[in-house]
Amino acid sequence: MTQEVAEQYSEAMISLAGQARSVVRDLNPKNELKYLRVRAKRHEIVVAFDVQFIVIVIQRWASAGDKSQS
């Protein structure tokens, strides 16, 4: 994955994560979103939140029966 594509993913996930955190707080102010996991056809994205930073992991994903991803 190129740096440019990784930056596009991170910008989109930061926006989505912010919206998801707001939804969780709106549903119950006592709850806080700690992790967000999104699985698409080719990638799985995991976002972890902390007070000082956000960790975004983008990994290639394929089902057990899919031999095209090696």
Side-chain angles (χ1 to χ4, degrees):
M1 177 178 295
T2 66
Q3 180 71 23
E4 184 176 307
V5 172
E7 289 174 3
Q8 290 174 348
Y9 269 97
S10 68
E11 289 173 12
M13 290 310 300
I14 288 170
S15 175
L16 178 63
Q19 293 173 357
R21 288 180 99 174
S22 294
V23 168
V24 169
R25 281 193 214 125
D26 288 346
L27 292 172
N28 186 343
K30 293 180 182 180
N31 289 338
E32 183 180 348
L33 184 66
K34 293 285 188 180
Y35 300 98
L36 176 65
R37 179 178 166 205
V38 178
R39 189 183 323 174
K41 187 174 183 179
R42 293 186 178 154
H43 293 99
E44 180 178 45
I45 304 166
V46 180
V47 183
F49 303 95
D50 191 44
V51 175
Q52 297 179 345
F53 56 87
I54 297 174
V55 176
I56 301 172
V57 178
I58 304 167
Q59 58 188 7
R60 195 171 28 186
W61 179 86
S63 65
D66 186 5
K67 301 297 181 190
S68 65
Q69 299 279 333
S70 34

